[in-house]
């Protein structure tokens, strides 16, 4: 009896399981269909490119019907932008690496050229010093030879003059002797002897004076020659010392200037490289922070949009679609009015872009129009603000549903002339 009872219990359990699973699947299918009917999937048809020179972007709100599509597009754009930024970063790093290699190659070539020039300059200076020393030595030898020859010629001339003088003196003495002999013959023997003694004494005194005079002249000549030789030697030594001092100072000045130029170039190069490195790091840090902030903002916005979509209901979607159509018409009207009122300044590049934030009053009057992203051209920025003020007021704001009027009182307008003139 126990076995049949157990089989009946198993059959009842199997029956409950068999009916329960299809029921769950059916409920899930109906829920899926309901979600599909509520959510507006993005259209697969490509949109026509927007060639407008003024583009409008809401700030405060977005319609719920296109939030899923915008979230998907935002994720796609974020992925494309990240890939593009990664490619640009890699290209920039490659360009910087090539620039660094080129700078290092140029610096090495410049150092080799300077070393070669310095070596050539040192060799030229060494050769010039050797040639100057050889010329100075040859000049000294020539002067010494000339001085020796002059001294020899002068001694010979002095000897000749002394011989002639002595010969003349001898002739004069002979004539005097002859006369004295004739006079002695006429005078007495005593007077002759006295005259002979006097003449002998006179001759001895004359000879003594002549010898003293010759010795004095010889000594003076020797002293003069010694003084001239000493003065000549002193002048030559002074000139040699002056030349060596001038060469030493010139070499020291050239070496000092070369060292200062090399140190100045090294300092400038180090400062330039430090500035480039600091700028590169600052730019990389700013780009990284901007990418992280943009990614974080995109993720948060996508999560909020998906959450709003999940929490919405079909009636809200229907009302949002109607409000969205009216609001899109209002935004297009604002954009066209601003385009017609915009006077583009002359000499503005096609890539110039400015973004203006507009705040409207309840009746469409302009409360404020401020530049949130400048183009860098003051005239271009001022023309964008003047276009908004000239096109206002936008009274069509009052035609929007009351529930969305407040959301469309603040929006951004991007001004970019492009190829349209």
């Amino acid at each position: 009896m126990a076995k049949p009872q157990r089989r009946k219990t198993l059959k009842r359990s199997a029956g409950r399981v068999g009916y329960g699973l299809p029921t769950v699947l059916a409920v899930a299918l109906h829920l899926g269909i309901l979600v599909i009917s509520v959510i507006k999937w993005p259209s697969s048809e490509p949109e026509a490119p927007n060639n407008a020179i003024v583009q409008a972007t809401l700030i405060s709100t977005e319609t719920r019907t296109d939030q899923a599509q915008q979230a998907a597009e935002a994720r796609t754009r974020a992925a494309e932008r990240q890939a593009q930024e990664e490619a640009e970063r890699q290209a920039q790093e490659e360009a910087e690496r090539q620039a660094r290699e080129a700078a290092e190659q140029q610096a090495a070539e410049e150092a080799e050229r300077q070393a070669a020039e310095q070596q050539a300059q040192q060799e030229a200076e060494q050769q010039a010093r050797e040639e100057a020393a050889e010329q100075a030595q040859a000049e000294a030898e020539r002067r010494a030879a000339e001085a020796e020859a002059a001294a020899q010629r002068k001694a010979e001339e002095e000897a000749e003059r002394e011989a002639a003088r002595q010969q003349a003196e001898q002739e004069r003495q002979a004539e005097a002797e002859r006369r004295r002999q004739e006079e002695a013959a006429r005078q007495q023997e005593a007077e002759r002897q006295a005259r002979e003694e006097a003449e002998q004494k006179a001759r001895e005194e004359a000879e003594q004076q002549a010898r003293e005079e010759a010795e004095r002249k010889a000594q003076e000549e020797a002293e003069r020659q010694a003084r001239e030789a000493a003065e000549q030697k002193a002048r030559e030594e002074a000139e040699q010392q002056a030349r060596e001092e001038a060469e030493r100072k010139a070499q020291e000045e050239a070496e000092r200037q070369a060292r200062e130029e090399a140190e100045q170039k090294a300092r400038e190069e180090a400062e330039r490289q430090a500035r480039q490195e600091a700028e590169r790091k600052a730019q990389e840090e700013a780009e990284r922070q901007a990418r992280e902030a943009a990614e974080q903002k995109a993720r948060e916005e996508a999560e909020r949009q998906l959450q709003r979509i999940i929490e919405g209901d079909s009636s809200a979607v229907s009302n949002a679609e109607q409000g969205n159509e009216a609001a899109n018409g209002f935004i297009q009207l604002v954009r066209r009015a601003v385009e017609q009122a915009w006077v583009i300044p002359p000499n503005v590049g096609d890539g110039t872009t400015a973004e203006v934030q507009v705040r409207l009053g309840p009746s469409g009057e302009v409360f404020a129009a401020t530049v949130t992203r400048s183009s860098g051209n003051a005239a271009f920025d001022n023309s964008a603000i003047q276009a908004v003020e000239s096109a206002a007021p936008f009274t069509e704001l009052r035609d929007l549903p009351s529930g969305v009027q407040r959301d469309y009182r603040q929006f951004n307008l991007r001004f970019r002339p492009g190829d349209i003139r």
Side-chain angles (χ1 to χ4, degrees):
M1 293 297 291
K3 290 183 179 179
Q5 183 67 31
R6 185 173 56 186
R7 283 196 296 270
K8 290 179 181 179
T9 303
L10 292 175
K11 286 180 180 181
R12 285 196 298 270
S13 300
R16 286 197 297 271
V17 173
Y19 288 109
L21 180 60
T23 302
V24 173
L25 292 176
V27 172
L29 179 60
H30 283 81
L31 289 175
I33 294 172
L34 178 60
V35 172
I36 291 172
S37 64
V38 172
I39 298 175
K40 182 180 179 181
W41 296 99
S43 175
S44 60
E45 296 181 358
E47 296 181 358
N50 187 2
N51 294 325
I53 62 176
V54 178
Q55 299 177 4
T57 303
L58 274 180
I59 296 177
S60 60
T61 185
E62 293 178 350
T63 60
R64 294 181 178 179
T65 56
D66 59 352
Q67 288 175 349
Q69 179 181 359
Q70 291 179 359
E73 291 176 353
R75 287 193 296 271
T76 303
R77 287 194 300 271
E80 292 176 353
R81 184 168 61 252
Q82 184 176 3
Q84 183 178 1
E85 291 175 353
E86 181 65 20
E88 292 176 355
R89 184 185 63 79
Q90 293 178 357
Q92 184 178 1
E93 290 178 355
E94 179 64 20
E96 292 176 353
R97 184 186 62 78
Q98 293 178 359
R100 286 196 299 274
E101 292 178 354
E104 292 174 357
Q105 179 67 21
Q106 185 177 1
E109 293 177 355
E110 181 67 17
E112 292 178 357
R113 184 183 65 78
Q114 291 180 358
E117 291 179 355
Q118 186 176 4
Q119 181 67 22
Q121 183 179 2
Q122 291 177 355
E123 292 178 355
E125 292 176 354
Q126 181 65 24
Q127 185 176 1
R129 287 195 296 271
E130 292 177 355
E131 291 178 356
E134 292 177 356
Q135 291 177 0
Q137 184 177 2
E139 181 67 18
E141 293 176 354
R142 184 182 64 79
R143 290 181 179 179
E146 289 178 356
E148 185 177 357
Q152 186 175 1
R153 286 195 302 273
K154 190 170 184 180
E156 292 176 353
E157 290 175 357
E158 185 67 23
E160 290 176 356
R161 285 196 298 271
E162 182 65 22
R165 187 183 61 77
Q166 290 179 359
Q167 185 177 1
E169 181 67 19
Q170 290 176 0
E171 291 176 355
R172 186 183 63 78
Q173 291 177 359
E175 181 66 19
E177 181 68 19
R178 184 180 63 77
R179 289 177 180 178
R180 283 194 298 273
Q181 289 177 0
E182 291 176 354
E183 183 68 20
R186 289 190 298 270
Q187 292 178 359
Q188 297 177 358
E189 184 64 22
E191 293 177 354
R192 183 184 62 78
Q193 292 178 353
R195 285 196 299 274
E196 288 178 354
E197 292 176 357
E199 288 173 356
Q200 180 64 28
K201 186 176 181 180
R203 282 196 300 273
E204 290 176 356
E205 291 178 355
E207 290 174 357
Q208 180 65 25
Q209 291 178 357
R211 285 195 300 272
E212 291 176 354
E213 183 66 16
E215 291 175 357
R216 185 183 62 79
K217 288 183 177 180
Q219 184 176 0
E220 290 177 353
E221 181 64 21
E223 291 174 355
R224 186 185 63 78
Q225 290 180 357
R227 283 195 305 272
E228 289 179 353
E231 291 173 356
Q232 180 65 25
K233 185 176 182 181
R235 284 195 300 272
E236 290 175 355
E237 290 178 354
E239 290 173 356
Q240 179 66 21
Q241 290 178 357
R243 285 194 300 271
E244 291 177 355
E245 182 66 16
E247 290 175 357
R248 184 183 62 79
K249 289 183 177 179
Q251 184 177 1
E252 291 177 354
E253 181 64 17
E255 292 175 354
R256 184 186 63 79
Q257 291 179 357
R259 286 195 303 272
E260 291 179 352
E261 291 177 357
E263 292 173 354
Q264 180 66 19
K265 288 182 178 179
R267 285 195 299 271
E268 293 176 352
E269 181 64 21
E271 292 174 354
R272 184 184 64 80
Q273 291 180 357
R275 286 195 301 273
Q276 291 180 350
E277 184 66 16
E279 291 172 356
R280 182 185 64 80
K281 289 183 178 179
Q283 183 177 2
E284 290 178 354
E285 180 64 20
E287 292 174 353
R288 183 187 64 79
Q289 292 179 358
R291 286 196 300 271
E292 291 178 355
E295 292 172 357
Q296 180 66 21
K297 185 176 180 181
R299 285 194 298 270
E300 293 175 356
E301 184 63 25
E303 291 174 358
R304 287 194 298 270
Q305 291 175 358
L306 291 176
Q307 186 66 28
R308 288 197 298 268
I309 291 172
I310 293 172
E311 294 175 355
D313 54 18
S314 58
S315 61
V317 170
S318 176
N319 294 334
E321 288 178 351
Q322 294 176 359
N324 184 34
E325 291 177 357
N328 287 338
F330 171 73
I331 289 296
Q332 294 300 323
L333 186 146
V334 170
R335 184 180 60 78
R336 287 194 298 270
V338 173
E339 285 182 358
Q340 293 174 359
W342 188 20
V343 179
I344 304 175
N347 301 325
V348 175
D350 295 340
T352 306
T353 303
E355 191 167 295
V356 176
Q357 185 181 99
V358 180
R359 288 196 301 110
L360 302 180
S363 301
E365 68 274 21
V366 176
F367 275 0
T370 57
V371 176
T372 58
R373 182 179 297 175
S374 175
S375 65
N377 187 331
F380 187 88
D381 296 345
N382 292 332
S383 69
I385 295 177
Q386 291 173 3
V388 174
E389 294 174 349
S390 298
F394 306 101
T395 58
E396 294 80 0
L397 178 66
R398 293 176 293 184
D399 298 333
L400 296 178
S402 59
V404 296
Q405 285 185 10
R406 182 176 298 275
D407 297 335
Y408 282 82
R409 286 171 57 183
Q410 186 173 352
F411 50 86
N412 285 345
L413 291 176
R414 181 181 298 172
F415 292 78
R416 182 173 182 176
D419 296 331
I420 300 176
R421 293 292 179 187

